[in-house]
Amino acid sequence: MPYDFSQAAQASTASPDVIVAFVNGLLSFVSPCVLPLLPIYFAALLGAGGKKHPKAVLLRMAGFALGFLAFYLFLGAWAGTVGSLLSGVPRWLLDWITGGIFILFGLSILGVLPGIRLFSTTADASRFVRDGFFPMLAFGATLALSWAPCNTVFIGNVLLMAASTNQATLWTGMGLLGVYALGMMVPFLTFMLLSSVLGDTLTFLKKHQTTIRKIGGILMVIFGLLKIFHLM
């Protein structure tokens, strides 16, 4: 039986999990290994030696975006496949497990549970980059991988949703992780293209990134409670 993409799209857009996945992507964008290093990443995307021809920049951006997205689609496919194997587990039990882990992650971001260690890295993958579409494709995938340890909590949230959602499949997993990746890519590429206009906004985000992440922690706790009490 062929896969009904229109039905999946309708179900996914109606699900709050899509919004939560996108918000987790936005929160990942303000992590310590993304915001402070944006100028370095922008320089790599714009090209070395002043090569800022629009077509060349567009080609580099396309390669970067595809490589970045491919990494998370792979993760999503894995999570969705695992979720399909859990189809026999009672829904209430998955909601309790998912909600409980979300609450623990949220409390760890708020500093209430210092025992839960958040990984951090300042790896600069941009120094290995070469010009052209395929090198930028590899750069995008490498950057996604190098950011993963710093965003363990947020990626874990979305992977958990992808594995525990109703009728979890390879496609639903790829969809949720794809939305998560877009949550990071949209502000990343927006700030790169409009850096001269949004410079003050970027400074504000850097200054208040801790507060923003704590707000995200509160939202995770709320989401976890809603899951546990079957309110979403």
Side-chain angles (χ1 to χ4, degrees):
M1 183 176 180
Y3 182 76
D4 190 346
F5 286 97
S6 61
Q7 183 179 1
Q10 183 178 2
S12 63
T13 53
S15 171
D17 288 355
V18 174
I19 299 174
V20 174
F22 190 79
V23 170
N24 272 275
L26 292 176
L27 292 172
S28 297
F29 175 74
V30 297
S31 67
C33 51
V34 179
L35 268 184
L37 299 177
L38 283 182
I40 299 173
Y41 302 136
F42 291 169
L45 279 169
L46 290 174
K51 298 177 181 178
K52 297 184 179 181
H53 191 279
K55 289 185 178 180
V57 172
L58 184 62
L59 192 65
R60 284 191 287 269
M61 286 178 58
F64 169 81
L66 286 176
F68 192 87
L69 187 60
F71 173 80
Y72 289 105
L73 290 179
F74 173 80
L75 282 183
W78 171 81
T81 302
V82 170
S84 66
L85 300 176
L86 299 175
S87 58
V89 179
R91 181 78 253 154
W92 65 266
L93 179 58
L94 287 178
D95 284 344
W96 269 76
I97 294 173
T98 304
I101 294 177
F102 261 81
I103 291 172
L104 289 176
F105 282 166
L107 292 176
S108 70
I109 292 176
L110 293 171
V112 177
L113 295 177
I116 299 180
R117 180 183 176 91
L118 299 182
F119 295 98
S120 179
T121 180
T122 55
D124 178 17
S126 64
R127 47 187 170 166
F128 304 108
V129 107
R130 298 292 182 271
D131 200 13
F133 176 82
F134 290 106
M136 291 308 299
L137 186 74
F139 174 54
T142 303
L143 197 61
L145 177 62
S146 69
W147 284 356
C150 191
N151 293 313
T152 304
V153 168
F154 303 114
I155 296 174
N157 286 338
V158 185
L159 286 173
L160 196 61
M161 287 192 303
S164 63
T165 189
N166 285 322
Q167 299 178 342
T169 65
L170 178 146
W171 301 106
T172 57
M174 290 175 68
L176 281 177
L177 267 295
V179 170
Y180 168 80
L182 288 175
M184 280 195 289
M185 277 199 300
V186 168
F188 182 90
L189 295 178
T190 299
F191 276 103
M192 187 192 75
L193 294 173
L194 303 175
S195 57
S196 59
V197 179
L198 299 176
D200 292 339
T201 303
L202 187 58
T203 301
F204 174 85
L205 290 176
K206 287 181 180 179
K207 183 178 179 180
H208 297 92
Q209 60 178 322
T210 301
T211 301
I212 294 171
R213 286 169 69 85
K214 286 186 175 181
I215 292 173
I218 294 173
L219 292 176
M220 284 183 201
V221 172
I222 293 174
F223 180 76
L225 291 172
L226 292 174
K227 275 284 189 183
I228 288 176
F229 292 103
H230 311 294
L231 296 176
M232 64 182 305

